[in-house]
Amino acid sequence: MDADAAGDGERVSAAADAFAPLADGGQPGWYRDAVVYSLDVKTFQDSDGDGWGDFRGLIDRLDYLENLGVDCLWIRPFYPSPLRDNGYDVADYRDVDERLGSLNAFDDLVAELDARGMRLITDLVLNHTSTEHEWFQRAREDPDSKYHDYYLWTSHVDEAYHTENIFPEFEDGVWSYDEVAGKHYFHQFYGHQPDLNVANSDVQEELFSIAEFWLERGVDGFRIDAAHPMILPKGHNAHRLEDPQWLFRELKRRAREVNDEAVLLAEADDEPDRLDFYFGDGEGFDALFNFVGNSHVTYGVGVGDSWPLYRMFEQIPDAQPDGHVWWANFLRNHDEWNLLKLPHDALEHAREEFRKGGDGRDSWVFGRGHRLRLADLYDGDHDRIAMAHSLLLSLPGTPIVNSGDEIGMHADLDRPERQAVRTPMRWDGAEPNAGFSTADPEELVIPVDGTGWPGVFQADAASQRGDPGSLFERVASAIDARKRCPEIARGDCSIVHVDSGDMWAHRFDHDGRVLLAVHNLASGPREVVAGFDVDPADAERVLGDADYRVADGGVTVTLDGCAYLWLRGERRGDGGR
Ligand code: NOJ
């Protein structure tokens, strides 16, 4: 049958359609059904005109987020910090940077989110502190203080363990000399971010109690920053934790004692064959950020080819609806688009293919990625960005939408380093500072990017909301579709082979039902036949307005360039797959 053109469907409220938590051996399941939105409080909305986004401003924008359909926020570090690494250089773990608000304002956010049935995940940076943290100040001043052993020192740097710094463009090693201590200290990131000695039991206790502090204030979980560097060899003797899994296991145990639904998501950009380790057979992380997926999916969509998607599925352990393996999927984040997980030829290709810049500006950074947003990678093509989001929302795992990508914001390569992808949210291009702040532009935490690329439209939210064909509304429809499809979090996912290298299809089987998602990665129209063992009369369009015809255990789909279609129905009793 030719389906009626149901468009992207009417959106239902996420909260009204919320699913009960999974009953998985007592493990919380809410995060598997969640759609996460990642944002930085200081660049989201300024409420008091001082040029800095703040918690009150974020509270004022919750209607926007609810309208988009997301139901969990991941907010990046908001702690007091000299901000030499965007807040990932924490100077005090138990407070809020006063430019962003106060603990009271934080509590108000938690209460507002609770009232809306939304969750909150915060960033915990446990691998390192800022040099301005009191622990480091006391450590450098007094070698006999217990804080000295919170960090890793050497008096013989030539004989010490050396490895490559994670920010090779800015640091030429992992040791820096401290004048006060008269010794070198170890840092895998910037020199102002000394690594913590996570093997020290006092440090471990500090880290656990920081997690407890925020859980008691009502957060639902944490993104554990730099989980991989945390367990790498450290210090003069390249010391390794005896049982690195214990650290994460214990962190989770302590967290669950405060909130039995608390979850830990790991930023662990480790090799694919080591990823299982972080799940710790169910006692470790609840989900891992899918870096393999990020490089492969974003690249595959960018070049209009499905092989990177096949490769992603080959490389990583399968998400387990009833087990402990689970992915936090994303298309872009607030860092560089890291391409190291691509095969060498593809990395080289991506390096040149997606490079932007000129006039001394270059998007390539750290020898591994582009400091570009999704809109730059896809040349401002909203159809391609919408399709990428449909794919993201249909993949097995929890989808994370990167703030600003839902309206197609561009990067600003005039900003240094990764700040290019962190400019303030553009609410309304007709307003001063695009509605982010009423402050003098000179006072802004990061300048609002008003120009976009030469000849390229710089997006805003106001011109898109309510317009059904806009990127914002298409992303919102895809989020809504995800909310109506419990199959994605609970079903068995499999790839559906189609006879075309620029099309991608996959399906979920759950409870006798099938959900099929077909994506056209090409710019031109395509027709494709995919296995779909559902009775024609029973096939239901979930998302997308492509024509389709179900017959003989298959579906013929006709898709415009960058179009997508999600279909579902009861699996036919008589047909195999
Ligand atoms: C990962 C964060 O995403 C990045 O922004 C930061 O620079 C490093 N961890 C160090 O904390």
Side-chain angles (χ1 to χ4, degrees):
M1 91 175 180
D2 275 328
D4 297 328
D8 280 345
E10 289 191 357
R11 300 213 306 270
V12 294
S13 132
D17 228 28
F19 302 116
L22 292 175
D24 176 22
Q27 303 288 317
W30 65 264
Y31 68 98
R32 297 184 174 216
D33 291 318
V35 177
V36 180
Y37 186 89
S38 147
L39 68 94
D40 193 330
V41 176
K42 65 181 174 299
T43 52
F44 202 59
Q45 178 67 63
D46 172 15
S47 73
D48 56 8
D50 67 353
W52 289 68
D54 46 44
F55 279 95
R56 303 265 174 238
L58 170 55
I59 291 169
D60 291 344
R61 292 293 187 184
L62 290 181
D63 284 349
Y64 169 88
L65 296 171
E66 222 179 339
N67 186 242
L68 179 61
V70 298
D71 53 9
C72 177
L73 306 186
W74 152 31
I75 55 173
R76 303 203 275 273
F78 51 81
Y79 315 103
S81 160
L83 293 187
R84 296 171 71 192
D85 184 17
N86 199 40
Y88 286 94
D89 46 333
V90 178
D92 180 354
Y93 286 101
R94 290 183 159 81
D95 207 348
V96 170
D97 186 315
E98 60 185 17
R99 295 163 291 196
L100 277 57
S102 60
L103 284 170
N104 281 342
F106 179 89
D107 294 344
D108 289 347
L109 174 69
V110 170
E112 270 296 328
L113 291 172
D114 261 1
R116 292 167 189 256
M118 293 168 83
R119 305 269 188 167
L120 181 64
I121 289 175
T122 58
D123 242 301
L124 268 196
V125 191
L126 307 180
N127 177 68
H128 47 267
T129 67
S130 161
T131 45
E132 291 188 20
H133 195 289
E134 190 197 346
W135 299 339
F136 189 77
Q137 291 302 320
R138 296 180 65 173
R140 68 202 292 231
E141 277 153 18
D142 181 2
D144 294 327
S145 106
K146 72 168 187 170
Y147 295 106
H148 197 73
D149 291 335
Y150 276 31
Y151 298 92
L152 302 130
W153 304 91
T154 185
S155 302
H156 305 283
V157 74
D158 293 341
E159 293 154 34
Y161 163 68
H162 287 268
T163 181
E164 208 186 322
N165 191 282
I166 295 171
F167 296 138
E169 241 159 270
F170 299 93
E171 300 287 341
D172 53 14
V174 288
W175 292 102
S176 285
Y177 186 69
D178 182 64
E179 299 276 352
V180 177
K183 294 181 190 174
H184 284 81
Y185 61 91
F186 183 81
H187 56 89
Q188 296 182 78
F189 293 93
Y190 284 115
H192 56 76
Q193 289 167 310
D195 271 48
L196 282 163
N197 177 10
V198 293
N200 176 312
S201 57
D202 288 339
V203 170
Q204 293 166 352
E205 190 52 38
E206 299 268 16
L207 302 185
F208 301 148
S209 79
I210 290 164
E212 288 166 347
F213 175 86
W214 290 105
L215 288 163
E216 277 156 11
R217 290 203 102 89
V219 310
D220 298 288
F222 302 109
R223 169 196 185 261
I224 303 299
D225 184 67
H228 178 209
M230 271 178 85
I231 57 163
L232 285 175
K234 288 188 184 220
H236 183 91
N237 292 322
H239 180 80
R240 271 180 186 278
L241 283 167
E242 228 164 79
D243 178 5
Q245 266 178 350
W246 176 84
L247 191 64
F248 300 138
R249 229 174 22 237
E250 187 63 8
L251 182 63
K252 180 151 120 178
R253 194 187 65 74
R254 295 278 291 261
R256 292 269 164 92
E257 270 180 13
V258 181
N259 173 352
D260 59 7
E261 290 208 321
V263 296
L264 299 184
L265 314 186
E267 191 219 8
D269 188 5
D270 207 339
E271 292 310 313
D273 61 358
R274 290 197 28 91
L275 293 175
D276 252 336
F277 162 89
Y278 295 88
F279 293 111
D281 273 333
E283 294 189 343
F285 287 102
D286 299 287
L288 304 189
F289 280 78
N290 188 354
F291 282 93
V292 176
N294 172 238
S295 48
H296 285 75
V297 173
T298 304
Y299 177 72
V301 173
V303 296
D305 205 326
S306 62
W307 73 257
L309 283 142
Y310 282 100
R311 187 170 192 270
M312 169 191 73
F313 277 97
E314 278 162 20
Q315 293 249 307
I316 57 171
D318 288 338
Q320 297 169 336
D322 299 318
H324 56 264
V325 175
W326 196 251
W327 302 107
N329 293 316
F330 58 107
L331 298 165
R332 277 296 286 115
N333 64 11
H334 60 288
D335 289 327
E336 76 282 5
W337 179 38
N338 186 331
L339 298 167
L340 290 179
K341 294 291 179 290
L342 288 178
H344 182 74
D345 288 357
L347 183 149
E348 287 298 320
H349 179 249
R351 174 187 174 134
E352 292 314 317
E353 178 74 12
F354 296 100
R355 186 196 289 276
K356 303 270 188 301
D359 301 335
R361 304 174 308 175
D362 190 352
S363 58
W364 188 249
V365 68
F366 304 144
R368 58 177 178 250
H370 286 292
R371 50 192 195 108
L372 294 174
R373 279 180 168 271
L374 206 58
D376 310 303
L377 299 177
Y378 300 163
D379 288 329
D381 180 350
H382 283 194
D383 291 340
R384 193 162 291 277
I385 302 172
M387 181 256 290
H389 278 90
S390 164
L391 186 54
L392 169 76
L393 285 148
S394 67
L395 287 174
T398 299
I400 301 185
V401 177
N402 184 42
S403 174
D405 285 353
E406 78 280 17
I407 55 169
M409 274 178 63
H410 284 271
D412 178 0
L413 282 184
D414 287 337
R415 306 309 313 155
E417 217 237 75
R418 289 163 294 163
Q419 220 182 65
V421 300
R422 298 170 179 169
T423 56
M425 182 71 178
R426 289 182 48 86
W427 296 103
D428 185 346
E431 290 194 11
N433 302 317
F436 162 66
S437 167
T438 55
D440 191 312
E442 306 288 303
E443 305 290 317
L444 300 183
V445 51
I446 297 175
V448 169
D449 182 33
T451 54
W453 298 95
V456 170
F457 171 71
Q458 179 55 295
D460 72 359
S463 61
Q464 298 189 36
R465 293 182 70 191
D467 169 1
S470 70
L471 178 59
F472 173 88
E473 294 295 340
R474 281 186 282 168
V475 173
S477 293
I479 292 173
D480 179 59
R482 163 70 185 228
K483 291 280 162 195
R484 288 183 281 118
C485 291
E487 295 88 346
I488 301 177
R490 293 167 170 70
D492 290 321
C493 180
S494 52
I495 297 171
V496 178
H497 294 274
V498 287
D499 202 11
S500 173
D502 46 20
M503 300 281 292
W504 171 259
H506 65 290
R507 66 184 268 165
F508 294 88
D509 283 76
H510 175 64
D511 228 4
R513 292 169 70 76
V514 184
L515 171 71
L516 173 74
V518 186
H519 289 83
N520 180 6
L521 311 179
S523 302
R526 295 284 183 277
E527 185 169 274
V528 80
V529 181
F532 188 55
D533 38 349
V534 165
D535 274 330
D538 189 39
E540 173 209 355
R541 178 198 300 274
V542 180
L543 181 70
D545 55 10
D547 283 339
Y548 65 88
R549 200 177 58 255
V550 180
D552 305 328
V555 59
T556 307
V557 187
T558 313
L559 293 157
D560 288 339
C562 290
Y564 41 90
L565 180 71
W566 300 16
L567 285 182
R568 78 174 154 194
E570 290 284 324
R571 193 167 56 231
R572 266 198 342 219
D574 59 345
R577 286 214 237 151

